[in-house]
Amino acid sequence: MDEGRPADDVILGMIADRLGAAMGRPWQVQDGRAKGPGTLAVVLGDDHSGDPGHLDLDFVLNVDRPEDTTISDCVAGYGGTTEEALDRAVQVWLGTTGSALIELLVQDGSHAAHFGPDDPDGFSGWHAIHGGITGWGTGDDHEAVQRWAVQHVVLPHLAPALKGTFERERLIGVKAFFGGGEGAETAEIRVNGAYHEAGSRALAELDWPRPEQGISYARTFVLLVHDEAG
């Protein structure tokens, strides 16, 4: 893959174009960020990987109160060039994290699924907005982990490891990335962008497929909104 990384404004332009198309409302690059309607914005975080196809993204719901309305996440893409890999990363982010965030804004079920605070498939005490589940890999079983993630409810299995560990009270982003093959595997939970060790262990203990040949990965994202009435 080409090692040259496009300028930040080029990357932000990719993000603005994708979000504008998904929301049906214009986004533009302005003042070093992708600026959306109202108080929405996306800024590039400090990249922690060194991979030119990797992005750290901060979605800010209210630019006037970024400290408690920012959902941080990271994502990597693949492609023949760095620009292709970054564009793929933005697509993956939009289909998982972005879908949950847009659903938070529209609240009509068109972008993500909703689980109430008492739903056994959700997260007790919190309203859960479950974004899309995407996957990729190689070989005949490249869709195996994604299929498993679609057919199985993961959030209740993670809840015991996550409960009581959140650093803020109302808006929590949980990213799950897992899979592997050929003798290696990854199981990663990030909460508001930070690696969560106990949650990652709980994810690793689940019985998702481990292909003997090729590789298979899945990624999803859940937004937890505190049930203030509870």
Side-chain angles (χ1 to χ4, degrees):
M1 180 170 53
D2 177 19
E3 293 299 322
R5 187 177 172 99
D8 285 356
D9 278 359
V10 173
I11 300 172
L12 290 168
M14 296 179 186
I15 296 166
D17 289 346
R18 295 283 183 184
L19 280 168
M23 295 182 66
R25 302 180 67 183
W27 283 65
Q28 59 186 338
V29 179
Q30 180 182 354
D31 300 327
R33 60 190 179 185
K35 181 68 178 67
T39 61
L40 302 177
V42 174
V43 298
L44 299 178
D46 295 330
D47 185 70
H48 66 266
S49 76
D51 180 349
H54 181 276
L55 290 173
D56 285 86
L57 300 175
D58 295 333
F59 190 103
V60 187
L61 291 158
N62 188 338
V63 293
D64 297 322
R65 293 191 298 112
E67 64 281 352
D68 58 359
T69 67
T70 296
I71 297 297
S72 299
D73 193 16
C74 61
V75 63
Y78 56 86
T81 67
T82 299
E83 192 158 348
E84 289 176 357
L86 289 170
D87 186 58
R88 173 63 178 168
V90 173
Q91 292 181 58
V92 170
W93 175 86
L94 183 60
T96 53
T97 309
S99 65
L101 288 162
I102 295 172
E103 182 61 30
L104 175 68
L105 301 172
V106 301
Q107 293 286 325
D108 64 3
S110 61
H111 292 273
H114 292 261
F115 297 91
D118 297 323
D119 194 314
D121 290 341
F123 195 105
S124 178
W126 294 73
H127 181 105
I129 302 176
H130 202 306
I133 301 169
T134 191
W136 60 94
T138 62
D140 293 341
D141 292 331
H142 67 279
E143 295 181 344
V145 178
Q146 182 186 19
R147 281 198 305 268
W148 183 93
V150 170
Q151 295 167 357
H152 294 77
V153 180
V154 172
L155 195 55
H157 297 285
L158 302 178
L162 298 179
K163 275 190 174 295
T165 66
F166 300 149
E167 295 183 357
R168 65 188 191 198
E169 298 180 354
R170 282 180 171 75
L171 192 62
I172 307 295
V174 179
K175 189 267 290 287
F177 171 63
F178 58 106
E182 299 180 349
E185 67 180 54
T186 296
E188 179 182 88
I189 295 293
R190 286 186 176 267
V191 175
N192 287 346
Y195 179 77
H196 195 286
E197 185 173 349
S200 298
R201 284 199 305 269
L203 180 60
E205 290 169 358
L206 298 181
D207 62 348
W208 38 270
R210 276 72 170 178
E212 294 182 2
Q213 296 182 339
I215 57 174
S216 180
Y217 289 96
R219 172 194 161 100
T220 191
F221 188 91
V222 180
L223 194 62
L224 298 177
V225 184
H226 197 262
D227 178 31
E228 297 186 46

